[in-house]
Amino acid sequence: MKRNPAALFFVAAVVAAMLFVGFHSARRAGSGNSDSLDVTGKPAPDFTLDSLDGKKIQLSSYKGQAVLLNFWATWCGPCKIEMPWFVDLQKEYGPQGLQIVGVAMDDASKDEIAKFVKEMGVNYTILLGKEAVGQEYGGVNVLPTTFFIDRDGKIVAREFGLQSRSLFVDNIKKSLSQGRAVQAQK
Amino acid sequence: MQLMPRSKSQLAGVLLLFAASALAQSPGKKSPSVTLAPIDPVSVTRGKGAEVSLHFRVAAGFHINSNTPKSEFLIPTALKMDAPTDVALTKTSYPAGKDMTFPFAPDEPLNVYTGDFTISMMVRPLHTVQPGKYAVHGDLKYQACDNAACYPPKHLPVEFEVKVLKNATPAGRNPAQSPHAHR
């Protein structure tokens, strides 16, 4: 059977390109990455969600503060690891203008979520999530997913899956130090 | 020249294969999956029972909670089937999960399924059911995680066929050879 050298070369080139792309996307992916749209560098989509104590909370009401927006669920083991960190980070960076907001992407009832939050000793705002809000953030297909929003409401970083505490600290510092509100204070 | 269209289709096939392969190998693009092995039709005499085994496989690198996870907040793997009228499904039997620790919970073992696991149940058509073929539908609800992240709950469709036979007692059967004789 006669083989077409050009076709073979083309196949080899395509395979090599795919392996290259696959390797680099795997490296970039890190742990627990998602195929969601990258919204980093863009304004954080505004939303209004109910808090556990029944208040309507609008994200844009935090403008002027840095926000760590964490999508989580009661059934998510890695999310449980982060929550004590967030408790500490809220205490440490709250006075500098950080507000941590947890959005529960859960089918569990409000009471069950409240029970879980109480057990974890959470001291930051917890909102009852909706799928549509996740979609606004590019589709939250992996939990935890965390967005870091600067004082102007711009997303400066996002992390998928469980990451190191130090990475959170770095991103918090970045979100606290960026934005026109910071420039005006200087 | 007649080889060209065939070569092109082969080329397209190879490209598709490698595209799928490249996507599957990227952790970020790989979605957690549980698959179900094909199920042979189940033949059962009306009034009697037959066991059906459903063989599932959890994709490498992922785990799902067992049917009896250790925390009330975890979502158990659960099979929910809708049986046709007069064909009862009973005794759903889940395997024991494995206690495993993960980097996100090194001191708190989770009871999980990984790799292959089998759920079985009994199919028992009533005496009154008409002989024939009956479709049984349902789904497996599961919630998967890997070592650093979790994924929303999913439903895997489960479907098999039950062939209900008329004869209750096959001729010439020796009761001593019944699998129930020694129980």
Side-chain angles (χ1 to χ4, degrees):
Chain A
M1 195 170 80
K2 191 177 178 183
R3 297 187 188 279
N4 184 336
L8 285 174
F9 176 78
F10 179 70
V11 168
V14 168
V15 168
M18 284 178 168
L19 288 173
F20 179 82
V21 169
F23 175 74
H24 280 272
S25 61
R27 283 190 58 178
R28 196 180 61 237
S31 59
N33 206 338
S34 159
D35 56 357
S36 59
L37 191 70
D38 189 0
V39 292
T40 309
K42 296 177 180 171
D46 199 14
F47 59 77
T48 301
L49 290 172
D50 291 336
S51 67
L52 278 179
D53 52 4
K55 293 177 186 165
K56 301 264 182 213
I57 303 292
Q58 190 170 8
L59 180 69
S60 55
S61 67
Y62 295 118
K63 205 158 187 176
Q65 289 180 276
V67 175
L68 184 158
L69 184 65
N70 171 245
F71 290 87
W72 68 283
T74 55
W75 41 259
C76 168
C79 302
K80 279 178 72 177
I81 299 297
E82 295 178 340
M83 294 177 100
W85 299 349
F86 293 154
V87 169
D88 291 343
L89 293 168
Q90 182 63 64
K91 283 180 194 163
E92 186 174 353
Y93 293 97
Q96 296 178 41
L98 174 71
Q99 178 60 56
I100 297 180
V101 177
V103 178
M105 302 299 283
D106 230 301
D107 289 334
S109 69
K110 184 177 166 182
D111 288 346
E112 286 173 306
I113 295 170
K115 182 183 174 191
F116 183 90
V117 164
K118 189 178 178 186
E119 282 180 14
M120 297 299 295
V122 168
N123 61 349
Y124 51 90
T125 302
I126 295 291
L127 305 178
L128 304 174
K130 290 179 180 169
E131 190 66 36
V133 171
Q135 291 301 324
E136 288 288 315
Y137 279 78
V140 178
N141 305 316
V142 173
L143 294 179
T145 293
T146 304
F147 296 86
F148 299 83
I149 302 167
D150 73 10
R151 295 175 189 266
D152 287 342
K154 191 177 84 177
I155 296 171
V156 295
R158 67 168 182 173
E159 303 295 344
F160 296 113
L162 181 63
Q163 302 291 339
S164 68
R165 194 179 189 279
S166 61
L167 182 62
F168 284 137
V169 170
D170 290 346
N171 282 327
I172 286 170
K173 286 178 178 172
K174 193 195 292 184
S175 59
L176 282 167
S177 64
Q178 289 188 15
R180 286 190 299 273
V182 177
Q183 301 305 321
Q185 284 174 7
K186 287 181 181 175
Chain B
M1 291 302 287
Q2 282 180 340
L3 278 176
M4 283 308 288
R6 198 173 137 203
S7 297
K8 281 180 181 171
S9 66
Q10 286 174 342
L11 186 64
V14 168
L15 294 180
L16 278 173
L17 187 68
F18 275 96
S21 171
L23 286 174
Q25 285 168 12
S26 168
K29 306 293 180 186
K30 186 178 175 183
S31 62
S33 66
V34 176
T35 52
L36 171 63
I39 311 164
D40 291 332
V42 182
S43 294
V44 55
T45 304
R46 57 183 180 179
K48 300 285 183 182
E51 188 178 80
V52 184
S53 294
L54 307 173
H55 303 286
F56 297 94
R57 174 168 293 175
V58 182
F62 296 98
H63 63 269
I64 64 175
N65 296 312
S66 74
N67 180 245
T68 53
K70 290 174 181 281
S71 163
E72 61 178 311
F73 295 110
L74 299 178
I75 297 173
T77 294
L79 184 68
K80 187 180 177 187
M81 302 299 294
D82 292 322
T85 308
D86 297 336
V87 177
L89 298 178
T90 61
K91 296 181 182 173
T92 301
S93 176
Y94 294 89
K98 283 181 280 189
D99 281 349
M100 295 178 69
T101 55
F102 296 91
F104 58 78
D107 304 322
E108 192 180 335
L110 302 180
N111 194 251
V112 300
Y113 299 143
T114 56
D116 294 345
F117 69 98
T118 300
I119 299 174
S120 61
M121 68 180 74
M122 290 296 290
V123 177
R124 192 176 293 277
L126 301 184
H127 288 284
T128 51
V129 70
Q130 287 292 317
K133 293 177 181 174
Y134 294 83
V136 178
H137 303 273
D139 65 43
L140 182 81
K141 183 179 182 183
Y142 67 93
Q143 188 273 306
C145 297
D146 58 27
N147 282 344
C150 290
Y151 304 83
K154 284 190 173 183
H155 292 264
L156 174 70
V158 174
E159 185 178 339
F160 61 87
E161 185 181 277
V162 176
K163 190 177 179 185
V164 178
L165 307 174
K166 189 176 182 180
N167 296 336
T169 51
R173 182 167 181 173
N174 180 358
Q177 292 175 344
S178 164
H180 303 289
H182 301 291
R183 291 184 180 179

